[in-house]
Amino acid sequence: MLEIRKDPSAFPGIDAEALHRMMDEVSAFGGGPDGSMTRLTLSREDGLARDWLAAWFAQEGLRLEIDAIGNMYGFLDWAGKDAPCIMCGSHLDSQPNGGRFDGAYGVIAACSAIEAIRRRVAETGITPKCNFVIVNWTNEEGARFQPSLLGSSVNSGEIDLDFALARRDGSGVSVAEALSEIGYAGEAARVVPAALIEIHIEGSAHLEKAGLRIGAFTRFWGAVKYRLAYVGRQAHTGPTPMAERQDALLAAAYLIAELRDMADKAGPDLHTSAARLEVYPNSPNVVPGETVMFIELRSGSAELLASAEAELKEKIESCAARAHTSFEVRSIDRRRAGEFDAGLIDLAEQTAKSLGQTVLRLDTIGGHDAVSMSAVTPAIVIGVPSVGGVIHHPTEFTTPEDRLLGTELLAGMLWRFCVDGNILKN
């Protein structure tokens, strides 16, 4: 077990006013008056938020590097080229009509934590034993370009760069074109740190229900994502006899019901969804000739996920037959299930204890960039409460007090590396 030798008073003190001011500043880029956030990756709004972050790096003397997929890295090089580098951060992109804290809080908390560590080093005169890098990952959300976790997956080597740059949005714009449009197509080499700590809003209500304020995600669920097209025959909804219709939307409707039934039968360890449909020609007087579905299966069990996918394949075919259509599987994206680093989990729990907090161990069902990066470096996601468990909605909210506490915890964990070097190898 890692031992925390410092008392809480030795931890870097967070400037709460600056933390909340920066959160408000970045929320202006894509934020609506109702609390909503629409800052799709590589959009104009995302470009403005990136410019804001780049300006903050420059103000604080951090070295900015941008790689070919647009990931932004702000390096604090103060311990020498042979010292370990510890990464923190998250992502600035959002869902359409989403919330302001998902992702962006992790970036702002990282900035505030590093700022606090620099002040503490100046106060104590210690010699830092590690370097730091703050990251803003490209396309974590997967709302505009699929798959999600695109930037971190390129950096970890799980996705090929050329494949990622060629992804296109619903308007036919490629990732490469969008990067060029906002000026964030870089050339930096991949960054593999000695460890990665990502702080994030929980996105569910487990902490709130338990009356606790810090969660450590110990296990991440895997996912299988299908882009499926049912292809029927476009026809007039009036004169075309019901028995002769080849209704692509009907086939999708059948499958949506089957997906819910699969989850109901499997129990809480399987989540299914078909949250996006593209219907053509999408006219009230026309039998749909094509419906594209975005399907997800999620589970923490690789075996359950495999059996669910096998069942999905059967259901796809039977629903097509029932609606008299054909089908095409146009893409499949997979994300493995796994566990976060035990040493970082231990460090989070010991640091929280020093701050008078108890850590709740949790699974993360949603994806995080730390999931991709866990393939190449020790990684962890720390969660702070989401009021009402809300995420991906304008009412998404984490209180200022919990945002501050999460940033204090992050700073405390990073401070341990700063004082002792790469403690995960001890």
Side-chain angles (χ1 to χ4, degrees):
M1 176 178 291
L2 298 172
E3 179 184 359
I4 299 294
R5 300 196 303 273
K6 309 293 179 183
D7 62 42
S9 64
F11 286 4
I14 301 299
D15 183 338
E17 188 277 331
L19 170 70
H20 300 316
R21 183 190 71 249
M22 288 193 292
M23 194 72 241
D24 289 341
E25 287 175 359
V26 80
S27 295
F29 307 115
D34 60 348
S36 65
M37 175 57 62
T38 300
R39 190 164 57 225
L40 300 185
T41 194
L42 309 184
S43 64
R44 176 182 176 276
E45 292 79 13
D46 187 34
L48 292 172
R50 286 165 171 263
D51 291 346
W52 177 91
L53 181 61
W56 189 89
F57 286 164
Q59 171 189 310
E60 297 299 317
L62 274 63
R63 173 171 56 89
L64 171 63
E65 292 199 8
I66 303 167
D67 66 15
I69 195 63
N71 297 321
M72 298 175 66
Y73 307 100
F75 289 91
L76 177 56
D77 302 312
W78 62 354
K81 65 178 182 179
D82 295 326
C85 183
I86 308 302
M87 178 181 283
C88 54
S90 193
H91 61 96
L92 290 177
D93 67 315
S94 82
Q95 290 288 331
N97 195 43
R100 300 184 177 205
F101 302 97
D102 176 4
Y105 165 63
V107 176
I108 300 305
C111 293
S112 292
I114 294 301
E115 190 177 49
I117 287 172
R118 296 182 74 175
R119 286 196 304 270
R120 189 63 178 152
V121 166
E123 292 166 0
T124 61
I126 70 164
T127 299
K129 294 184 179 178
C130 73
N131 299 312
F132 292 105
V133 56
I134 299 171
V135 64
N136 169 38
W137 300 109
T138 295
N139 193 54
E140 191 272 357
E141 293 290 357
R144 182 180 180 190
F145 301 103
Q146 292 78 47
S148 57
L149 312 186
L150 195 64
S152 56
S153 295
V154 168
N155 187 66
S156 70
E158 291 187 322
I159 290 180
D160 178 76
L161 173 61
D162 289 339
F163 169 86
L165 291 174
R167 299 305 88 205
R168 295 186 180 275
D169 66 11
S171 299
V173 178
S174 71
V175 170
E177 292 165 347
L179 281 167
S180 178
E181 177 68 23
I182 65 168
Y184 278 88
E187 298 179 349
R190 66 191 296 235
V191 178
V192 180
L196 165 62
I197 305 172
E198 179 177 357
I199 194 153
H200 205 277
I201 64 170
E202 181 191 359
S204 55
H206 296 292
L207 284 170
E208 194 174 68
K209 291 176 180 177
L212 297 175
R213 300 175 65 194
I214 298 292
F217 292 110
T218 61
R219 186 178 74 146
F220 50 86
W221 283 29
V224 176
K225 302 185 180 186
Y226 273 55
R227 184 168 176 262
L228 169 73
Y230 279 118
V231 182
R233 186 178 66 191
Q234 184 174 322
H236 196 309
T237 56
T240 306
M242 299 299 293
E244 296 179 10
R245 297 186 185 189
Q246 299 173 30
D247 190 333
L249 182 56
L250 180 62
Y254 288 150
L255 184 59
I256 290 169
E258 293 284 8
L259 284 165
R260 178 55 190 254
D261 188 58
M262 287 170 57
D264 289 343
K265 289 178 179 177
D269 292 331
L270 177 68
H271 287 193
T272 66
S273 69
R276 177 176 171 182
L277 298 177
E278 296 174 351
V279 182
Y280 302 95
N282 204 28
S283 169
N285 297 319
V286 178
V287 175
E290 180 178 287
T291 298
V292 179
M293 305 178 67
F294 291 74
I295 298 165
E296 293 186 1
L297 309 175
R298 298 177 187 254
S299 179
S301 164
E303 295 77 14
L304 179 55
L305 199 58
S307 65
E309 184 178 5
E311 184 176 0
L312 171 64
K313 291 177 180 178
E314 294 176 358
K315 299 295 187 183
I316 289 172
E317 188 169 352
S318 65
C319 290
R322 187 177 174 188
H324 309 293
T325 71
S326 61
F327 65 89
E328 301 170 0
V329 177
R330 294 184 174 171
S331 67
I332 304 176
D333 297 312
R334 304 180 191 279
R335 187 164 65 234
R336 64 190 171 86
E339 297 181 350
F340 287 119
D341 183 75
L344 288 172
I345 295 167
D346 188 32
L347 177 61
E349 291 179 334
Q350 293 300 316
T351 306
K353 183 178 179 181
S354 295
L355 294 171
Q357 301 296 320
T358 299
V359 169
L360 182 65
R361 292 192 172 200
L362 297 165
D363 283 0
T364 177
I365 301 174
H368 296 285
D369 293 301
V371 171
S372 298
M373 289 297 292
S374 70
V376 293
T377 193
I380 191 174
V381 178
I382 305 296
V384 292
S386 298
V387 173
V390 175
I391 192 170
H392 288 181
H393 188 272
T395 59
E396 169 187 291
F397 188 67
T398 293
T399 67
E401 294 80 10
D402 285 337
R403 279 179 261 152
L404 177 59
L405 176 63
T407 307
E408 290 173 336
L409 181 79
L410 174 62
M413 293 176 70
L414 296 175
W415 180 246
R416 178 68 190 280
F417 285 100
C418 184
V419 172
D420 293 334
N422 190 1
I423 56 177
L424 300 180
K425 289 187 176 182
N426 294 343

